[in-house]
């Protein structure tokens, strides 16, 4: 087992110190709203890349550029970038009206007693269809406030329910950036990762529903939630879900969603041709920062691998976590720590991917399993971070409506993330040992 070169991990350390240091200063000392999301993360990664280039004087700059080029030019990285762009265009085409239609349709036909249950189901579906937890929370938090006001349910329960449901789709959706990053980084098909992940997420979702039902039965309710909706607009989402589960190529599935969504938006006059083109451009633009981060992280990781940094990290993980089950826990801890540091589950997955790849090979862990672990554990941590985008967006949305809620109110009622964590550990515990005794040791 190679001990590697721990100093080669310095660029990651520099990034974490910069990002955390500036983020904490913005958030807690300067009191800047959503402080962590005002930190120029691309600049932090550029500084990290500069540090990586200064290391290892045995290699000249031209050789280092060649190494970075190979890292960025990897097939999986390029595929990931293309899927990011296509997913962004799809979300830009269908817009928020489609998701709102799903929510208000279900709330209009269900008794107020079950309004929070519906809110959770809608959050799961919308996030699964849209592929974004932050987008789902932005969209549904005002509806959660309306549910609380009209039905009498506790506001923090309604908001926590939306956050929990949004992470269900973030974890499973075929167009979620976390799914795209995990699958392409680990080299597995999206449908395989979906199947692996589904049987971990489903028990957590069902138990969450039971807990919400119990609380619902013990709450006195009143009123109804009524608003306009257009069910035709959900067709593109349904087509993408069906196509993804059926195993159709992700590029074709997203193209089908874009074409059907564009046609429906034009036919229903929900958007003009000019505004539709603008929405496509905006959707793609929303993915630019994620793409740049992916490129920079790929370059940094290529240099760290060349310098022996990954060998050092793997050596440390193997000293602590042994066997196939231990390797999976090690992956989960790795991506969880990176998510705590970056407050961004997609970035955490992109950073963890190359190291997780090595762990998977050494411990005999399948690509679909490693992709599932990275996505699941990052989503668990991301959803409960007080300074994470999901929490901050939810709190801001409530505040924009003239009400007040804090992370302390929400965190105890995030049933789904906690249950997803338990379900993940149970799944790891049920892992069978490798038949090949040379693996996992």
């Amino acid at each position: 087992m190679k001990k590697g070169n721990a100093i080669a991990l310095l660029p990651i350390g520099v990034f974490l110190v910069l990002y955390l240091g500036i983020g904490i200063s913005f958030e807690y000392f300067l009191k800047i709203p959503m402080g962590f999301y005002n930190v120029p993360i691309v600049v932090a990664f550029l500084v990290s890349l500069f540090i990586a280039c200064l290391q290892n004087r045995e290699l000249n700059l031209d050789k280092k550029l060649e190494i970075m080029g190979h890292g960025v030019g990897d097939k999986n990285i390029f595929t990931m970038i293309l899927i990011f762009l296509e997913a962004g265009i799809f979300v830009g085409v269908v817009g928020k009206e489609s998701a709102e239609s799903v929510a208000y349709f279900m709330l209009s036909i269900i008794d107020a007693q079950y309004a929070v249950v519906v809110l959770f189901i809608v959050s799961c579906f919308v996030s699964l269809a849209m592929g974004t937890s932050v987008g789902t929370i932005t969209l549904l938090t005002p509806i959660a406030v309306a549910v609380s006001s009209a039905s009498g349910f506790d506001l923090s329960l309604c908001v926590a329910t939306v956050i929990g449901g949004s992470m269900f789709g973030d974890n499973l959706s075929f167009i979620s950036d976390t799914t795209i990053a995990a699958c392409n980084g680990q080299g597995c098909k999206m449908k395989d990762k979906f199947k692996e992940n589904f049987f971990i997420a489903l028990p957590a979702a069902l138990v969450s529903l039971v807990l919400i039902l119990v609380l619902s039965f013990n709450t006195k309710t009143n009123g109804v939630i009524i608003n306009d909706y257009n069910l035709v607009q959900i067709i593109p989402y349904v087509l993408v879900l069906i196509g993804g589960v059926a195993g159709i190529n992700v590029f074709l599935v997203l193209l089908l969603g874009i074409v059907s969504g564009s046609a429906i938006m034009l036919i229903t006059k929900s958007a003009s041709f000019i505004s539709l083109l603008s929405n496509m451009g905006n959707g793609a633009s929303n993915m630019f920062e994620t793409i740049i981060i992916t490129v920079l992280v790929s370059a940094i990781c290529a240099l760290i691998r060349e310098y022996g940094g990954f060998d050092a990290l793997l050596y440390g993980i193997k000293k602590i976590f042994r066997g196939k089950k231990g390797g999976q826990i090690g992956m989960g801890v790795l991506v969880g720590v990176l998510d705590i540091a970056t407050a961004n589950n997609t970035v955490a997955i992109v950073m963890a991917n190359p190291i997780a790849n090595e762990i998977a090979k050494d411990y005999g862990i399948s690509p679909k399993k490693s992709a599932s672990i990275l996505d699941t554990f990052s989503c668990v941590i991301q959803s409960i971070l007080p300074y994470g985008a999901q929490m901050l967006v939810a709190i801001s949305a409530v505040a924009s409506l003239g009400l007040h809620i804090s992370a302390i109110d929400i965190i105890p009622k995030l049933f789904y993330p906690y249950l997803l964590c338990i379900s993940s550990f149970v799944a790891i515990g049920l892992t069978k040992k490798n038949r090949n005794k040379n693996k996992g040791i």
Side-chain angles (χ1 to χ4, degrees):
M1 188 188 300
K2 294 182 181 178
K3 287 189 176 182
N5 177 21
I7 298 299
L9 296 169
L10 179 63
I12 295 177
V14 169
F15 166 76
L16 296 179
V17 169
L18 272 176
Y19 187 81
L20 278 176
I22 298 173
I24 290 172
S25 297
F26 281 3
E27 187 78 31
Y28 300 107
F29 295 103
L30 300 178
K31 304 296 181 182
I32 297 174
M34 295 187 70
F36 273 87
Y37 292 86
N38 284 291
V39 178
I41 191 169
V42 171
V43 175
F45 272 121
L46 276 172
V47 173
S48 178
L49 180 60
F50 178 70
I51 296 298
C53 288
L54 289 178
Q55 291 183 294
N56 195 344
R57 295 185 179 180
E58 294 179 4
L59 301 175
N60 60 35
L61 181 59
D62 193 57
K63 180 62 178 176
K64 290 174 182 176
L65 288 171
E66 182 182 333
I67 293 168
M68 287 187 279
H70 283 303
V72 174
D74 183 88
K75 175 189 172 183
N76 290 326
I77 298 299
F78 187 67
T79 302
M80 193 189 309
I81 290 172
L82 290 179
I83 296 173
F84 278 146
L85 284 171
E86 203 173 0
I89 292 171
F90 171 72
V91 173
V93 165
V94 294
K96 67 177 184 178
E97 291 83 5
S98 304
E100 287 178 337
S101 291
V102 175
Y104 284 120
F105 166 69
M106 294 190 69
L107 287 168
S108 69
I109 62 174
I110 302 294
D111 186 271
Q113 186 79 57
Y114 306 102
V116 181
V117 172
V118 171
L119 203 56
F120 181 73
I121 295 172
V122 169
S123 300
C124 290
F125 176 81
V126 170
S127 59
L128 197 60
M130 290 181 67
T132 165
S133 55
V134 172
T136 301
I137 292 167
T138 302
L139 196 67
L140 297 183
T141 298
I143 299 175
V145 173
V147 167
S148 174
S149 177
S151 65
F153 280 102
D154 179 61
L155 177 59
S156 59
L157 173 64
C158 293
V159 174
T161 298
V162 168
I163 294 175
S166 72
M167 298 312 294
F168 177 86
D170 195 310
N171 185 211
L172 288 175
S173 176
F174 287 88
I175 59 173
S176 166
D177 47 5
T178 57
T179 295
I180 295 167
C183 289
N184 284 278
Q186 297 305 301
C188 76
K189 294 180 179 179
M190 289 192 182
K191 69 171 184 177
D192 293 334
K193 184 260 184 187
F194 178 85
K195 292 174 183 177
E196 184 76 26
N197 231 160
F198 183 74
F199 293 104
I200 297 172
L202 182 61
L206 292 177
V207 176
S208 297
L209 275 176
V210 171
L211 290 175
I212 294 169
L213 270 173
V214 170
L215 289 174
S216 298
F217 289 141
N218 293 323
T219 302
K220 290 183 180 180
T221 58
N222 56 277
V224 292
I225 301 95
I226 300 175
N227 211 316
D228 295 331
Y229 54 84
N230 184 353
L231 290 182
V232 175
Q233 292 180 344
I234 74 170
I235 292 175
Y237 288 138
V238 175
L239 290 175
V240 167
L241 288 176
I242 293 173
V245 173
I248 300 173
N249 182 280
V250 65
F251 290 109
L252 294 178
V253 170
L254 287 171
L255 183 60
L256 176 63
I258 292 168
V259 172
S260 62
S262 299
I264 288 170
M265 289 297 168
L266 291 173
I267 292 170
T268 60
K269 296 183 179 179
S270 298
S272 66
F273 182 72
I274 300 298
S275 64
L276 190 65
L277 289 177
S278 177
N279 291 340
M280 287 182 180
N282 290 335
S285 297
N286 288 336
M287 290 292 186
F288 285 176
E289 184 177 72
T290 300
I291 290 170
I292 294 300
I293 289 170
T294 300
V295 169
L296 291 175
V297 170
S298 301
I300 293 167
C301 287
L303 290 175
I304 291 174
R305 181 187 287 109
E306 179 69 22
Y307 300 163
F310 287 166
D311 288 333
L313 196 54
L314 284 169
Y315 181 82
I317 289 174
K318 287 178 181 179
K319 294 287 284 185
I320 301 172
F321 303 102
R322 298 181 180 275
K324 191 173 184 179
K325 295 178 183 179
Q328 293 176 67
I329 294 173
M331 280 187 196
V333 171
L334 172 67
V335 77
V337 169
L338 289 173
D339 192 70
I340 290 171
T342 62
N344 187 310
N345 45 346
T346 304
V347 174
I349 291 171
V350 171
M351 292 177 71
N353 263 329
I355 304 167
N357 256 322
E358 299 297 330
I359 296 174
K361 290 175 185 175
D362 287 354
Y363 286 92
I365 300 168
S366 67
K368 63 180 181 180
K369 173 67 76 174
S370 58
S372 173
I373 289 170
L374 290 179
D375 203 343
T376 301
F377 277 87
S378 67
C379 282
V380 168
I381 298 298
Q382 183 67 26
S383 58
I384 62 177
L385 285 180
Y387 52 88
Q390 288 74 8
M391 191 73 68
L392 295 174
V393 165
I395 293 170
S396 297
V398 172
S400 69
L401 297 173
L403 300 173
H404 175 74
I405 196 170
S406 70
I408 295 173
D409 300 321
I410 297 170
I411 290 174
K413 294 167 185 173
L414 289 168
F415 305 134
Y416 176 73
Y418 300 134
L419 290 167
L420 180 62
C421 184
I422 294 170
S423 185
S424 299
F425 277 111
V426 170
I428 291 173
L430 295 174
T431 301
K432 294 180 181 179
K433 292 183 179 180
N434 290 320
R435 291 181 181 179
N436 186 346
K437 294 181 180 180
N438 292 325
K439 290 183 178 181
I441 55 175

